Amino acid sequence: MIAGALALAAAATFTSQAGAHRGHDAMSVVTLADNGAVTVSHRFEAHDLEPALAEIAPDAQTSLDDPAAIEELKTYLLAHFSLSADGAPVALTVGSVEIGVRDVRVDYTGSVIGNPRALEVRSTILRDIYPRQVNQVVVRRGPSVQTLRFAGGEAKTVMLRPGPVMPSPKAR
């Protein structure tokens, strides 16, 4: 009887802790350097991302330790996050992947030509898996930092402060 009561109390404690999860969210940091280099760093909580691998990489193991799942994750992120500078798409390529016990970070690199005035950002990362997913995107250019919040499929535009004028790649 006492063992049953203890088990019931433990289950109630676990249930209340599980119910206290604050929801799904992710953070991406976009940095535009003076030389036109763009870096995008996506950061996730491992306990949010790993279960999502079942849908992101259905033919791989649902594990952040599976290289096939990580390859699919890289492709998924490219399909669900995009940048355009003054209307021109910014091509992104994988830079690095860091998988920790609690956090996962996936970095991409790209470049912009000239001195863009506006950056359009779209982030639907994990929105197809977790309907209440919220994505925060921080855009940095020099001393200017702007934060965007995505809870749907919309695109948002950040007006950029003028930076140094960069020559086109042909002139370099």
Side-chain angles (χ1 to χ4, degrees), residues 52-168:
L53 292 175
E55 290 188 48
I56 293 170
D59 296 330
Q61 293 180 28
T62 306
S63 170
L64 291 167
D65 295 327
D66 183 359
I70 298 304
E71 287 304 311
E72 291 295 322
L73 173 63
K74 291 186 239 180
T75 301
Y76 173 88
L77 292 174
L78 282 172
H80 288 83
F81 184 90
S82 64
L83 299 174
S84 294
D86 289 340
V90 177
L92 298 172
T93 57
V94 177
S96 65
V97 177
E98 295 176 25
I99 300 170
V101 174
R102 292 189 176 127
D103 302 313
V104 175
R105 181 175 166 165
V106 182
D107 294 340
Y108 293 85
T109 60
S111 64
V112 296
I113 297 171
N115 192 10
R117 295 181 187 170
L119 185 71
E120 183 182 89
V121 181
R122 182 178 305 273
S123 180
T124 59
I125 296 171
L126 299 176
R127 298 261 323 135
D128 54 332
I129 298 167
Y130 303 126
R132 294 175 45 161
Q133 172 79 18
V134 175
N135 296 315
Q136 182 172 305
V137 178
V138 176
V139 178
R140 295 180 179 169
R141 182 180 196 185
S144 177
V145 178
Q146 298 179 52
T147 303
L148 307 172
R149 183 178 179 275
F150 294 87
E154 73 280 6
K156 296 188 178 188
T157 300
V158 173
M159 299 311 294
L160 301 171
R161 291 185 180 187
V165 176
M166 299 304 300
S168 71

